[in-house]
Amino acid sequence: MNNTEYFQHAQQYLTGGVSSSFRYNPFTARPMYLSKAEGAYIYDLEGKRFIDFFMGHGACTLGHNRPEISVAMKQVFDIGFFAEFDHPLTGELAKKITQNIPAAERVRYVNSGSEATLLSIRLARGYTGRQKIVRIDGQFHGGHDYALVNNLAANIDRDNPGDRLSQVKHASAGIPLKVDETLYVIPWNNAELFEKLCKEHGHEIAAILMNPIDYNNGCIGSSAQYMQAIRRICDEHGIVFIIDEILSGFRTGMTGGHGYYGVAPDLCLFGKALTNGIPLAAVAGKEKIMMKIMDPVDPVVAGGTFSGNLFGCAAGIASLTIMEQAGFFDGWLERVNSFYTQLQTIFDEANFPAIVQGLGCTFGIYIGTREPVTNYHHIAERTNPELRKAFFLKCIEKGLYFHTDFTISAQHDEALLTQSLDILREVVREAKKRM
Ligand SMILES: Cc1ncc(COP(=O)(O)O)c(C=O)c1O
């Protein structure tokens, strides 16, 4: 079956022909089905090869089908796989996480990033005895009820200029209205507003949850100063500072955005690149908070049949072992930064309105603007959705696969990046002709 035939076939059995609504490509408006993936390449059902800049929604930063991960999977088959028991591999991964990430004093596993954000919220509520969670307007934290509000730049409170609380905006049908009463939503990078909120309502706030670097809306960074201000305010008001590193982890180095900005969260959440494509995520953080799970009187319940599954743990050990190698990130990030500079030069020389913003191996391309995009309002105000769509459709047609967020894996070597830049140059040339 070719791609189109399979899409039609799958729709008879799978809702929408897919297992996740995020599989629909925002440019082609249909899912991409793969026959295989290898290194930096993906192959569709007709065997057409693409240089992949999606990398499994940022999960496969070390490359698809990485041999070391396959070896780890075989190791699990040799052990004999089972469920709902721990094995020494489970503890070995937790030890590695605590050794590499200073903020991670204790670890508990879940199976996905969404479960990690959900558990972290419950943990903060259980630990503080408070109900409210502060969320950032426009930030993505997965697919549960507390996360599916104000979750992308497209779902922000557009009327908020950035200096007041945002209205809660449901991003999905089926979210209980009661959820709104459990949240305060604030614009990002405004510590004064958070401080003001805490002065008035700190006694009812359990946690603030944020992404340190936003890669769900391209690439928008924060600052050390902002993150440190949030840290101080949390300390002053006894609020749990939760940093979601599900997408930002292991991209700028061995930690995540919190290490990059030099701030220590109370809880940090890792998934995706932690295991390089095998399901597992980790909630990690201060022992005194994590131990609320073991409270003999009033514990926070954190359990699941597949939590700490052996495949995920073995993949996590293999991934961290690769990334722990001295200098591992240096050559990769040098390549990546040179790619960003060269791509920006291509845009500038062609006088094509586009800005490349990258931090570590993940980046965004904002099309329609020459001004940097530094907040979520800028995306609607400055970028050009039609030009953006036409641009990325051309990229896909010419064999560069782009989806929602863009990652350059450790397997995108110099030659592949040069080839990608040549294709991007052609796409820009053709787009310019149509402008
Ligand atoms: C920042 C962030 N948090 C949480 C999640 C949810 O992770 P998962 O898709 O594994 O549930 C994602 C997924 O893209 C994410 O980008």
Side-chain angles (χ1 to χ4, degrees):
M1 265 186 264
N2 67 26
N3 300 307
T4 305
E5 285 163 354
Y6 181 72
F7 184 30
Q8 275 153 11
H9 170 78
Q11 287 177 75
Q12 296 171 57
Y13 311 103
L14 277 167
T15 310
V18 284
S19 311
S20 160
S21 298
F22 306 136
R23 300 275 148 87
Y24 275 67
N25 183 287
F27 312 114
T28 62
R30 50 168 288 171
M32 167 76 130
Y33 296 104
L34 297 194
S35 55
K36 68 169 184 170
E38 197 75 54
Y41 292 113
I42 51 175
Y43 299 78
D44 72 8
L45 296 188
E46 286 154 47
K48 180 174 174 192
R49 190 173 79 171
F50 297 81
I51 300 174
D52 187 15
F53 285 95
F54 185 42
M55 298 311 296
H57 209 154
C60 301
T61 51
L62 301 180
H64 295 295
N65 200 22
R66 179 103 187 181
E68 295 91 330
I69 309 289
S70 303
V71 169
M73 296 302 94
K74 287 185 191 118
Q75 183 194 358
V76 175
F77 283 116
D78 289 344
I79 293 167
F81 56 91
F82 47 78
E84 196 64 286
F85 286 98
D86 271 34
H87 176 275
L89 282 183
T90 331
E92 194 181 325
L93 174 60
K95 185 174 169 196
K96 267 192 178 301
I97 294 173
T98 58
Q99 282 169 341
N100 282 293
I101 297 152
E105 293 172 6
R106 289 288 183 281
V107 176
R108 201 31 101 85
Y109 302 114
V110 286
N111 296 302
S112 67
S114 302
E115 287 172 71
T117 57
L118 183 61
L119 174 57
S120 71
I121 286 173
R122 189 184 315 129
L123 203 43
R125 287 196 175 120
Y127 176 74
T128 58
R130 303 172 184 170
Q131 288 289 301
K132 298 265 192 184
I133 302 296
V134 179
R135 283 268 328 274
I136 305 294
D137 195 4
Q139 290 204 341
F140 192 84
H141 298 291
H144 56 78
D145 290 352
Y146 301 112
L148 283 172
V149 303
N150 305 65
N151 66 343
L152 286 167
N155 302 323
I156 59 169
D157 175 356
R158 289 207 185 288
D159 299 326
N160 186 356
D163 56 1
R164 60 162 173 78
L165 289 182
S166 292
Q167 298 281 322
V168 177
K169 301 272 175 193
H170 290 201
S172 164
I175 307 290
L177 288 173
K178 286 272 178 208
V179 162
D180 302 14
E181 293 166 21
T182 68
L183 300 173
Y184 287 120
V185 182
I186 57 171
W188 200 25
N189 285 328
N190 183 342
E192 292 75 34
L193 186 64
F194 180 55
E195 182 145 41
K196 186 163 173 270
L197 175 68
C198 291
K199 278 192 181 134
E200 286 163 25
H201 299 283
H203 59 284
E204 51 178 2
I205 298 173
I208 179 165
L209 168 66
M210 77 167 68
N211 295 324
I213 303 165
D214 185 321
Y215 293 119
N216 297 100
N217 295 292
C219 176
I220 305 178
S222 174
S223 69
Q225 195 191 13
Y226 170 73
M227 300 295 274
Q228 274 151 16
I230 300 295
R231 175 69 279 170
R232 173 184 57 76
I233 300 161
C234 284
D235 288 342
E236 282 170 16
H237 295 272
I239 293 166
V240 178
F241 188 4
I242 310 172
I243 299 196
D244 177 350
E245 302 277 12
I246 302 292
L247 191 53
S248 50
F250 310 108
R251 261 144 244 272
T252 47
M254 242 352 237
T255 56
H258 77 268
Y260 181 77
Y261 290 122
V263 74
D266 296 307
L267 296 177
C268 48
L269 318 173
F270 289 89
K272 295 194 193 259
L274 171 65
T275 49
N276 210 53
I278 307 296
L280 185 113
V283 175
K286 290 206 172 121
E287 181 187 359
K288 62 181 183 191
I289 302 177
M290 296 300 293
M291 286 306 284
K292 181 65 186 165
I293 293 171
M294 302 308 293
D295 186 335
V297 181
D298 187 22
V300 162
V301 174
T305 308
F306 300 117
S307 298
N309 77 83
L310 273 191
F311 291 102
C313 289
I317 294 166
S319 300
L320 288 178
T321 305
I322 294 167
M323 292 188 282
E324 279 166 351
Q325 292 165 54
F328 178 76
F329 283 89
D330 299 347
W332 175 16
L333 295 189
E334 211 175 288
R335 237 172 16 251
V336 155
N337 287 327
S338 155
F339 176 86
Y340 300 153
T341 310
Q342 290 182 72
L343 181 54
Q344 188 62 59
T345 304
I346 290 173
F347 290 139
D348 294 346
E349 285 181 357
N351 201 20
F352 184 76
I355 286 276
V356 184
Q357 290 180 199
L359 257 182
C361 70
T362 299
F363 67 109
I365 304 175
Y366 298 101
I367 297 204
T369 181
R370 290 189 182 83
E371 298 286 312
V373 168
T374 55
N375 74 47
Y376 300 131
H377 287 282
H378 290 162
I379 296 176
E381 288 162 7
R382 296 186 178 169
T383 64
N384 178 335
E386 285 79 37
L387 190 57
R388 173 179 162 80
K389 185 170 170 187
F391 180 87
F392 286 112
L393 274 177
K394 248 309 161 232
C395 289
I396 295 170
E397 194 187 302
K398 288 180 181 290
L400 302 183
Y401 189 71
F402 287 97
H403 196 110
T404 43
D405 41 86
F406 310 160
T407 288
I408 297 175
S409 81
Q411 305 278 297
H412 286 72
D413 62 17
E414 199 78 53
L416 215 65
L417 291 176
T418 304
Q419 191 188 339
S420 305
L421 287 166
D422 289 343
I423 296 172
L424 284 157
R425 194 176 289 107
E426 261 177 57
V427 173
V428 170
R429 205 176 298 133
E430 289 177 26
K432 271 298 280 185
K433 273 194 219 144
R434 288 193 307 272
M435 279 170 79

